[in-house]
Structure formats: structure tokens, C-alpha cells
Amino acid sequence: AGVTPLLFKGWAAARSYPQGWLRPYGDFDLLVRDCEFAKAQAVLAGAATAFLGKNYTLPLGPRSHCAVDLHDRLDRFYAADNDTLFA
């Protein structure tokens, strides 16, 4: 679809949590540029079997799925802005 996402959080971030069970491993956190956010939403919405908040559930097969958590910025959580992260 021409959208360039960055994958973040997940397994690497889980080491920083005080208890391992606090960080679920069942989702993908994706960051996209502001100008590509609407396109990313449309692509995910077209493929999703469910949507809750900003989390999309995508089918992986007859009995499995994955969740995608889409973000348009991270500077609320981290110090770097999108331009720096994508550079």
C-alpha cells in the first residue's frame, strides 16, 4: 500500500517490565508517518476481522490471528519525534 511502518515495543521492551506477564506478546505495535496514517488505517480496516480503539485484529489462518496497534506518533511516550525515528 506504500506505507512504511516501524515496528516497536514487544519482546525488547518486555525486559523493562517488573513482571513479565505485564507485557503481552500477542500484538504488533506499528508507527507510521503522520501523512500515511489514514492510508494505514484504511489498509488495516480492510483486512481486519475486528477493531477496538486503535487495535486491529488480523486473520493469520483458520484458527489464529494477530493484533496490530497503530500509532501516528511516539513523542508522547518517548523523547524522539517521528522525523528523527524515521531518519
Side-chain angles (χ1 to χ4, degrees), residues 3 11 18 23 33 37 45 47 50-51 53 55 57-59 67-68 72 74-75 77 79 83:
V3 176
W11 289 88
R23 174 68 183 130
R33 289 180 173 92
F37 189 73
F51 175 71
N55 297 299
T57 302
L58 303 177
V68 175
D72 60 345
L74 295 181
D75 55 359
F77 310 108
D83 290 335

Side-chain angles (χ1 to χ4, degrees), residues 10-86:
W11 289 88
R15 294 186 304 222
S16 300
Y17 283 72
Q19 290 89 19
W21 54 267
L22 289 175
R23 174 68 183 130
Y25 297 116
D27 69 336
F28 292 92
D29 293 284
L30 298 180
L31 171 70
V32 296
R33 289 180 173 92
D34 214 22
C35 62
E36 296 178 336
F37 189 73
K39 185 187 263 189
Q41 283 181 309
V43 169
L44 287 172
T49 57
F51 175 71
L52 180 61
K54 59 185 170 119
N55 297 299
Y56 299 85
T57 302
L58 303 177
L60 293 178
R63 294 186 180 166
S64 62
H65 67 277
C66 72
V68 175
D69 189 3
L70 186 63
H71 299 265
D72 60 345
R73 53 186 287 201
L74 295 181
D75 55 359
R76 293 182 287 255
F77 310 108
Y78 306 102
D81 62 28
N82 281 10
D83 290 335
T84 301
L85 291 169
F86 279 97

